Amino acid sequence: MSATDSTAAVEAVFRIEFPRVVAALARACGGDLGLAEDLAQDALVDALAQWPIEGTPRNPGAWLTAVGKRKAIDRFRRDRVLASKYAEVGRSVVGGAGGGGGGPGVVGGGGEIGVEPDFVASFDDEIEDDRLRLIFVACHPVLAMPARVALTLRLVGGLTVPEIARAYVDREATVAQRIVRAKKAIASAGVPFEVPSGEDRVARLGAVLEVIYLIYNEGYSATAGSSWVRPELCAEALRLGRVLAALAPDEPEVHGLVALMEFQSSRLRARVGSSGAPVLLFDQDRRSWDPLHINRGETALARAESLAAADGSAGRGPYLLQASIASCHARSLRPEDTDWARLVSLYSELAGLVASPVVELNRAVALSYASGPEAALPYVDLIVASGALERYHLLYSVRADLLDRLGRSDEAAGEWERAAGLAANSAERGLLADRAAASRARLAGG
């Protein structure tokens, strides 16, 4: 293996282990996320020097964590004012390790590098709790939403700053500064490195789910740029959701969110045509929907429903209801097979939980197919009159579609054009402009 290949192999392993290592080091360092990330990067430098020569350890994550903790001790020794932190980390490291370069000692024959068995056992036992702590800290409400998203993708998702910047069509320097400021804000606020409990856990879990779903939605319907879909963000959010479901297996809303993202992911390929233009739900080739994602979605939804029913007091939460809505679409081989009456009922239930004009708008769409556009238009007009979604382009595209279906093409064209003017995504803007032109063509032909 060449030196370049060897370096790439080490970096690939590090990328996989990075979130677990940062989580373990953050706990050992009293929740200092900035220090934990620095120590993980320092451990990577040692791995790049040792692994190509001595071999990859049996448990790379434990090896990297042990090196990081030893480097933390060295740093705390240099900074005597941090004696309390030194004691905390010292207690978490198993003694008796040798090895050059500050790395763990050799275990077993054949020259394979490893770490002491009791440390490996401790690492495996505690790491999952550490990852859950890290997720709650990265998504803490003390941070603004853009900072929560960036910090979660970096520390929990393991994405690099260039990858995050690329996904969000942002400058690398901006993303890097956002992450640095987020870590400083967490430290300044004294956010404990722990999983919240009681009522605080319910509220904080909602914040975590909000961050994950925001990441997913940015991939599913990009708010800006030239691409309507960014599959890499959808994949990362779904991966984070699955991790969270494994760490919090008894939370129905976690499984509800995973189910929702699975159902939505089944349609990703069908949402974009061969030219890169957006394809709306009614125009999609449903034969191209991914059955694996649909099956996974149904499994997660069944789990969420079972947990919610067992709880009894809480009832169905917003993510579980949205997953049920997505399931209705996934089960329909043709648009006309959709159970629109059930969708109206589900959206009504959701509106009872979430006071959102967007939910009301989606309910109006379902109502238009269950009872006709003339039944839905008054509800949409009420939303328009309220001004709550004045800058939301989809409000005007929904109204335009209803007007088109009612034969009022002149009014529809104006609404399509208004929607296009508000759309920040160029691919979506093009689609809306085409719909406006189609309405005007029908008007001219009539």
Side-chain angles (χ1 to χ4, degrees), residues 58 101-102 118 152 234 258 261 361 396 433 443 446:
R58 285 188 295 264
D118 50 351
T152 299
C234 291
V258 171
M261 293 189 293
L361 181 63
Y396 305 106
L443 184 66

Side-chain angles (χ1 to χ4, degrees), residues 48-419:
L48 288 170
Q50 295 185 40
W51 292 3
I53 299 171
E54 299 170 339
T56 302
R58 285 188 295 264
N59 191 324
W63 191 100
L64 291 163
T65 302
V67 171
K69 287 184 176 180
R70 285 172 173 77
K71 289 183 179 295
I73 290 176
D74 291 341
R75 184 176 300 202
F76 296 154
R77 280 174 176 161
R78 292 194 300 268
D79 301 333
R80 293 184 179 180
V81 295
L82 299 177
S84 60
K85 283 191 174 182
Y86 165 67
E88 182 178 1
V89 175
R91 285 192 299 271
S92 69
V93 178
V94 177
V106 176
V107 176
E112 182 178 353
I113 302 299
V115 292
E116 297 83 351
D118 50 351
F119 179 81
V120 173
S122 173
F123 178 82
D124 288 338
D125 289 344
E126 296 176 346
I127 190 62
E128 299 308 326
D129 287 341
D130 290 337
R131 294 176 78 191
L132 190 57
R133 293 185 185 104
L134 183 60
I135 290 173
F136 274 101
V137 171
C139 298
H140 198 282
V142 74
L143 301 176
M145 186 57 74
R148 293 188 220 174
V149 168
L151 192 62
T152 299
L153 288 174
R154 175 70 191 114
L155 297 186
V156 182
L159 273 66
T160 64
V161 168
E163 286 171 334
I164 299 170
R166 233 178 1 255
Y168 278 89
V169 197
D170 210 344
R171 295 173 57 248
E172 289 184 22
T174 301
V175 172
Q177 291 168 6
R178 189 174 294 145
I179 292 171
V180 169
R181 287 196 296 267
K183 288 185 286 191
K184 288 181 178 178
I186 290 289
S188 298
V191 175
F193 191 70
E194 64 183 17
V195 175
S197 59
E199 293 184 3
D200 188 38
R201 177 186 173 96
V202 176
R204 292 276 300 283
L205 180 62
V208 171
L209 298 178
E210 183 183 9
V211 169
I212 294 174
Y213 195 42
L214 186 66
I215 294 169
Y216 187 87
N217 271 337
E218 183 58 32
Y220 192 75
S221 296
T223 54
S226 58
S227 299
W228 196 37
V229 173
R230 295 175 186 155
E232 69 279 6
L233 278 179
C234 291
E236 183 56 32
L238 183 51
R239 188 180 71 82
L240 290 174
R242 290 170 179 163
V243 168
L244 186 59
L247 297 175
D250 297 325
E251 298 286 351
E253 279 291 83
V254 174
H255 294 283
L257 176 58
V258 171
L260 174 58
M261 293 189 293
E262 293 281 10
F263 287 130
Q264 302 289 65
S265 294
S266 73
R267 304 202 296 262
L268 277 176
R269 287 180 304 192
R271 282 173 57 77
V272 180
S274 57
S275 65
V279 180
L280 300 180
L281 178 63
F282 273 74
D283 301 321
Q284 291 172 14
D285 180 0
R286 301 191 176 207
R287 294 170 299 179
S288 67
W289 289 2
D290 190 330
L292 178 59
H293 278 300
I294 293 174
N295 289 337
R296 286 174 173 169
E298 294 292 359
T299 299
L301 178 57
R303 174 67 173 159
E305 293 275 12
S306 174
L307 289 169
D311 186 351
S313 59
R316 297 193 292 185
Y319 290 106
L320 197 163
L321 287 170
Q322 290 178 81
S324 298
I325 289 167
S327 175
C328 274
H329 290 295
R331 293 170 180 172
S332 305
L333 298 178
R334 302 175 303 167
E336 55 268 31
D337 296 333
T338 306
D339 189 347
W340 293 106
R342 173 167 166 73
L343 285 174
V344 172
S345 176
L346 287 168
Y347 274 119
S348 296
E349 187 177 348
L350 181 59
L353 293 177
V354 182
S356 165
V358 174
V359 173
E360 294 291 351
L361 181 63
N362 283 315
R363 179 182 176 277
V365 172
L367 181 63
S368 76
Y369 288 102
S371 304
E374 66 281 355
L377 186 58
Y379 290 99
V380 174
D381 286 342
L382 284 174
I383 299 172
V384 172
S386 73
L389 297 178
E390 184 179 4
R391 304 295 299 172
Y392 187 55
H393 66 287
L394 294 181
L395 170 62
Y396 305 106
S397 69
V398 167
R399 190 167 191 275
D401 180 66
L402 295 178
L403 291 169
D404 259 339
R405 289 160 59 192
L406 289 169
R408 296 159 61 178
S409 298
D410 187 27
E411 295 173 78
E415 294 294 80
W416 287 121
E417 288 165 353
R418 187 174 185 182

